[in-house]
Amino acid sequence: MPSLEAGAASAEEHHALTAKPVEIGNLAGLPITNSMLVSWIVAAVLIVFAQLATRKMRFVPAGAQNFVEWLVESLYEFLEGVIGHHLVKKTFWFFATVFIFILFSNWLGLVPGLGTIGFGHQTAHGFKISDPWFRGANADMNMTLAMAMVFFLCWTVWALDTNGPVGFLKHLFAPKGTPPACSRC
């Protein structure tokens, strides 16, 4: 029967992301973390890809332009079906940008080496990475919290603009699921 000490030792060797990202540098007093670096790489790749895909626009798209147009049109039609024509015209820029950024961040997280290349030390069970150079952009709580706060602020502004203050409060606090008033009564 295994002892408690063996169980504690195996728990210490558990391989998982640390809760805190590793600081890999400093820029004018601003700490640069490994997940921040990955988010900058994703943003740079998206900007370069968009520039290359739309550099020579054609009436009949081909190649990268075709992919970009398909992605944007599909996202627009999907959001229009969910939030309606009026609201999608106001909010599409935000939802499409966030969706594409998260999609590409998650895709980059699947690249071998992300999170497994960096500084570490030798243990009894092999080499253990303690300070990875790269970490998934969405693995950092700061990124997800910042996106959630920006979305909440934008949602509040859009909801107030669309419904007005009274309609906004009714939407939040009025009873839901009540049947409409009977026209024959």
Side-chain angles (χ1 to χ4, degrees), residues 115-174:
T116 59
I117 298 174
F119 298 113
H121 57 278
Q122 191 67 32
T123 66
H125 301 287
F127 192 77
K128 182 177 185 311
I129 301 293
S130 59
D131 297 330
W133 292 340
F134 304 105
R135 172 186 167 115
N138 296 329
D140 187 358
M141 182 62 115
N142 295 326
M143 172 67 81
T144 55
L145 180 64
M147 287 193 299
M149 288 174 29
V150 169
F151 171 76
F152 181 75
L153 178 68
C154 289
W155 173 83
T156 304
V157 169
W158 293 325
L160 282 169
D161 183 49
T162 302
N163 300 322
V166 174
F168 177 75
L169 291 173
K170 280 183 179 179
H171 181 75
L172 287 178
F173 299 113

Side-chain angles (χ1 to χ4, degrees), residues 66-85:
N66 193 26
F67 174 73
V68 170
E69 287 191 19
W70 167 80
L71 180 62
V72 170
E73 185 178 343
S74 298
L75 280 173
Y76 191 88
E77 289 173 357
F78 172 75
L79 284 172
E80 188 175 30
V82 172
I83 62 177
H85 180 72

